[in-house]
Amino acid sequence: MLSLLAASGAAEPIYWENLGLRPYLFEIGGFQLRFYSLAYLLGILFAYWHLSKMIKASGAPMAQRHADDLFFYCTLGVILGGRLGYAAFYKPELFQSLALFRLWEGGMSFHGGVIGVLVAISWVAWRGGLNWLRVSDYIAVNVPIGYMLGRLANFVNGELYGRPVASDFPLAMVFPTDPDQLPRHPSQLYQAGFEGLLLGLLLLALFWKTRARYRPGLLVAIFTIGMGLGRFLMEFFREPDAYLAYVVTETGLSRGQWLSLPMIAIGIVVLVYALVKPPVGGAAKVASPPA
């Protein structure tokens, strides 16, 4: 997709409608399998599959039965936390009507989803007598891939587009949902690449190629810092929601950026803790590869 965009002419913006995209995979009768729903499904299935592989490696802080519980409760946490967070952080009026439960109409908060997952992890860890921080490490490794799929689905939907940009910018794009029809940054792709793919590959490499999993909190700290920093930076390219534009005008930062600052701060604190504390489990037994 990026190569297609970059290969376009520099003088004219890219028109989303000319890419041949549509927001659903197929339609049967009145039912549509939308890419946004598919992104959630694939992200959750990937997380469950990969977590099941992770716990078979040495030093796992849980068993398969705990992974099964996490699959169920974290799915609830993503959906309920994401929706309730969206209402609390962005649209409080949703609490006043049944529109709060109309998930198919869109409206999910990443930060709310994170809170929901943390509550789910806390519940499973408490019930199973597990180390909460180490379980969080294992979950954090799997989140960015699902996030990437979600942002790609946003792009396919032509929503959550970026701020206006010069029409001769190589990736300038006009989205049909934009009432002003201005050339804009495809910020969904920026987020999918930075907060999704790059962060996901980094965490996967740290888990499988290093001893990071033996330092409680290290992986979740890197995830939290990376996601918070990525969201903070990408918000400079993303168009604020119309009803929240006043936040940028009054404070200079968007609502998403303000919510990301505590994430970065918490991540740094956890990172310091993880690096100061001695490793656990079989870390000392893992020898360096032979020369």
Side-chain angles (χ1 to χ4, degrees):
M1 179 64 69
L2 284 176
S3 61
L4 172 63
L5 298 180
S8 302
E12 292 292 331
I14 303 161
Y15 285 84
W16 181 95
E17 58 193 13
N18 293 336
L19 298 177
L21 300 174
R22 62 182 185 183
Y24 59 91
L25 180 62
F26 62 79
E27 182 175 13
I28 300 178
F31 171 78
Q32 292 181 344
L33 179 58
R34 301 182 68 86
F35 282 108
Y36 195 70
S37 301
L38 192 58
Y40 268 85
L41 177 61
L42 292 178
I44 291 170
L45 290 177
F46 167 81
Y48 177 69
W49 168 79
H50 188 251
L51 179 62
S52 297
K53 288 180 64 68
M54 294 169 72
I55 62 176
K56 292 180 174 64
S58 60
M62 67 187 108
Q64 183 62 47
R65 68 180 184 277
H66 302 122
D68 295 341
D69 288 343
L70 285 167
F71 171 70
F72 175 74
Y73 289 109
C74 284
T75 299
L76 287 181
V78 168
I79 296 173
L80 296 180
R83 186 58 172 175
L84 293 175
Y86 177 75
F89 300 144
Y90 299 99
K91 276 196 170 183
E93 62 270 19
L94 285 175
F95 287 115
Q96 303 173 10
S97 70
L98 293 177
L100 177 66
F101 303 100
R102 297 172 187 164
L103 301 180
W104 58 89
E105 295 182 356
M108 300 288 279
S109 163
F110 167 75
H111 298 92
V114 168
I115 294 173
V117 169
L118 289 176
V119 171
I121 294 173
S122 299
W123 171 248
V124 174
W126 177 76
R127 286 207 318 168
L130 307 176
N131 184 305
W132 180 86
L133 198 53
R134 296 204 69 212
V135 173
S136 297
D137 282 333
Y138 276 60
I139 295 297
V141 173
N142 299 291
V143 175
I145 299 302
Y147 182 87
M148 176 190 71
L149 295 173
R151 287 309 180 203
L152 290 176
N154 291 144
F155 177 77
V156 171
N157 288 345
E159 61 190 3
L160 301 184
Y161 42 74
R163 302 188 186 194
V165 68
S167 61
D168 60 351
F169 180 70
L171 297 181
M173 182 169 293
V174 177
F175 293 90
T177 51
D178 176 18
D180 299 320
Q181 290 295 283
L182 296 174
R184 295 180 179 275
H185 286 286
S187 56
Q188 315 97 319
L189 298 182
Y190 302 168
Q191 291 188 280
F194 189 92
E195 300 161 65
L197 183 61
L198 290 180
L199 182 58
L201 292 176
L202 173 62
L203 290 171
L204 288 170
L206 287 173
F207 181 87
W208 291 109
K209 301 297 184 181
T210 75
R211 301 182 180 90
R213 64 179 180 268
Y214 295 107
R215 288 190 172 275
L218 180 57
L219 292 169
V220 75
I222 293 173
F223 163 79
T224 305
I225 295 172
M227 191 63 74
L229 182 61
R231 181 64 181 270
F232 185 88
L233 295 176
M234 293 303 106
E235 284 284 312
F236 285 114
F237 300 99
R238 179 177 168 180
E239 179 73 7
D241 292 324
Y243 55 88
L244 291 174
Y246 74 93
V247 178
V248 178
T249 302
E250 293 178 359
T251 69
L253 298 177
S254 69
R255 178 65 57 82
Q257 287 174 313
W258 283 113
L259 292 173
S260 296
L261 290 176
M263 285 187 65
I264 298 172
I266 292 172
I268 292 173
V269 171
V270 177
L271 178 64
V272 172
Y273 170 85
L275 294 177
V276 169
K277 298 287 287 186
V280 299
K285 301 176 183 179
V286 179
S288 300

